[in-house]
Amino acid sequence: MRTFLGALMVLIVSGDETTIQGVLDDSVLLPCTCSESKKYFDWQMDEPKPMPVFIYNENDSSRYKGRIKTFLSENSTNCSILLTNITAEDQGKYSCRFKSEGVYYKSFVYLNVSANYSVCQTNNSVSGGLKVFQCKVIGRYREAWIQWTLHGQNLTNSKTINITNTTNTDAATGLYSFNSSLSTELNWNLTPMCEVKAKTISTTFISGCDGTKAAGTGNPQADRMRHRWLTILPVGLVLGLFLFLLYLSQLRSLPPTRN
Ligand SMILES: *[C@@H]1O[C@H](CO)[C@@H](O)[C@H](O)[C@H]1NC(C)=O
Ligand SMILES: *[C@@H]1O[C@H](CO)[C@@H](O)[C@H](O)[C@H]1NC(C)=O
Ligand SMILES: *[C@@H]1O[C@H](CO)[C@@H](O)[C@H](O)[C@H]1NC(C)=O
Ligand SMILES: *[C@@H]1O[C@H](CO)[C@@H](O)[C@H](O)[C@H]1NC(C)=O
Ligand SMILES: *[C@@H]1O[C@H](CO)[C@@H](O)[C@H](O)[C@H]1NC(C)=O
């Protein structure tokens, strides 16, 4: 009976999924508070691609190799990890798991990755009856493009709109620059907006034409770090408890024995 109970795994899952903002090439703290008496702890990516990130007392797995810093030696209840040199592939759902007194704990963190870009839209000029709009974007993430919008609608090449895009790499700085020129004979009374979009990750506008920092955009690190543990009782555990109580009540009804 006892063996049967011992085989039942108690799993406690944190109810909150904290969202953490990380910036490409930067570093980010993935928070996890664990218990003093843990015997084991690990981090893994659950989505989009399940893979180990860090396993206590084991060597780093390849993709995260050399990019994980732990704090356990400073604080034995700190199972957080610092992930450095963030890549676009790092975006996703992570879980921190640890085992304490036979109970497994699991909490989730969603890492949202964004890339910084400076965006410079220059004044429209008129040449040969055409209105011309220019946009120049510079950033570290290559999988990006310039999107023009007017009244919230995406603009694309058509009979009346000519959009020409170019991409360049600055080998010295490793920065990518994207140019876009939009010309039209249409008589818009609003100026089209130039935005930068990136594949799978989000983009953050950090500066404009004069290189000045935009207000209110920084690097929002870990927000709201609360831990509300939500207990999920597996059906097996409920059944186990029931059997255990049954077993106890049977013990009580038997004449006392000693061995
Ligand atoms: C863990 O340690 C890091 C680095 O000192 C700190 O920033 C973080 O707040 C700590 N986290 C917890 C959950 O104690
Ligand atoms: C992280 O980036 C720094 C600076 O760009 C570089 O020197 C270092 O080798 C990188 N580390 C890893 C593990 O990629
Ligand atoms: C990621 O953060 C950006 C803001 O930086 C936000 O617009 C976007 O919706 C977030 N994405 C997810 C999946 O949380
Ligand atoms: C679009 O503009 C570019 C230069 O701005 C020009 O070379 C190209 O011929 C134009 N394409 C059309 C279809 O008008
Ligand atoms: C982008 O535009 C800037 C100025 O508008 C120009 O100096 C630069 O050469 C252009 N780059 C490309 C790749 O067209």
Side-chain angles (χ1 to χ4, degrees):
M1 187 68 193
R2 207 164 301 157
T3 348
F4 172 59
L5 279 178
L8 281 169
M9 193 182 80
V10 183
L11 176 69
I12 299 182
V13 178
S14 165
D16 287 333
E17 183 182 308
T18 315
T19 298
I20 304 286
Q21 300 285 346
V23 175
L24 199 85
D25 284 346
D26 215 330
S27 53
V28 70
L29 186 83
L30 303 182
C32 177
T33 307
C34 51
S35 75
E36 192 93 39
S37 61
K38 71 195 149 302
K39 294 256 162 40
Y40 175 85
F41 106 90
D42 74 18
W43 273 90
Q44 63 177 56
M45 179 187 244
D46 294 332
E47 290 165 17
K49 214 179 193 178
M51 67 175 79
V53 173
F54 171 82
I55 301 174
Y56 183 53
N57 277 344
E58 279 186 32
N59 286 330
D60 279 358
S61 74
S62 57
R63 213 185 85 187
Y64 292 90
K65 198 175 172 70
R67 299 199 291 136
I68 304 290
K69 187 180 185 298
T70 57
F71 304 98
L72 214 58
S73 54
E74 294 152 32
N75 177 349
S76 60
T77 63
N78 190 340
C79 287
S80 307
I81 51 172
L82 184 76
L83 174 63
T84 61
N85 299 36
I86 298 172
T87 69
E89 290 72 39
D90 291 344
Q91 177 165 278
K93 187 176 174 181
Y94 291 81
S95 59
C96 162
R97 304 184 302 180
F98 62 92
K99 186 183 165 193
S100 171
E101 319 284 2
V103 179
Y104 285 90
Y105 294 83
K106 190 168 183 173
S107 65
F108 298 99
V109 166
Y110 185 84
L111 175 61
N112 182 342
V113 176
S114 74
N116 289 339
Y117 290 95
S118 76
V119 179
C120 172
Q121 184 172 349
T122 46
N123 284 337
N124 40 319
S125 60
V126 180
S127 70
L130 288 179
K131 277 191 171 177
V132 182
F133 304 91
Q134 302 273 356
C135 182
K136 184 174 184 177
V137 166
I138 298 177
R140 298 205 156 271
Y141 185 49
R142 191 199 169 83
E143 305 294 324
W145 62 93
I146 289 172
Q147 176 69 61
W148 291 96
T149 62
L150 187 70
H151 301 293
Q153 301 282 310
N154 288 352
L155 300 174
T156 52
N157 268 317
S158 66
K159 279 205 178 94
T160 52
I161 301 172
N162 179 358
I163 299 172
T164 309
N165 293 326
T166 53
T167 305
N168 261 2
T169 314
D170 183 339
T173 59
L175 292 171
Y176 299 99
S177 71
F178 307 85
N179 274 14
S180 185
S181 166
L182 184 157
S183 59
T184 182
E185 55 209 350
L186 296 175
N187 205 8
W188 290 332
N189 48 14
L190 269 182
T191 303
M193 292 263 302
C194 151
E195 288 171 49
V196 55
K197 301 278 181 199
K199 196 173 146 190
T200 67
I201 61 172
S202 44
T203 60
T204 310
F205 167 79
I206 50 152
S207 62
C209 296
D210 48 4
T212 50
K213 270 231 170 245
T217 57
N219 177 4
Q221 288 277 333
D223 49 293
R224 300 154 286 122
M225 225 212 89
R226 278 174 304 119
H227 278 279
R228 183 164 49 85
W229 298 99
L230 175 83
T231 309
I232 296 181
L233 295 172
V235 176
L237 177 67
V238 177
L239 185 74
L241 268 179
F242 173 74
L243 290 175
F244 182 61
L245 290 175
L246 197 71
Y247 171 70
L248 282 185
S249 64
Q250 273 173 352
L251 269 191
R252 231 172 266 135
S253 59
L254 288 174
T257 50
R258 226 165 257 277
N259 44 357

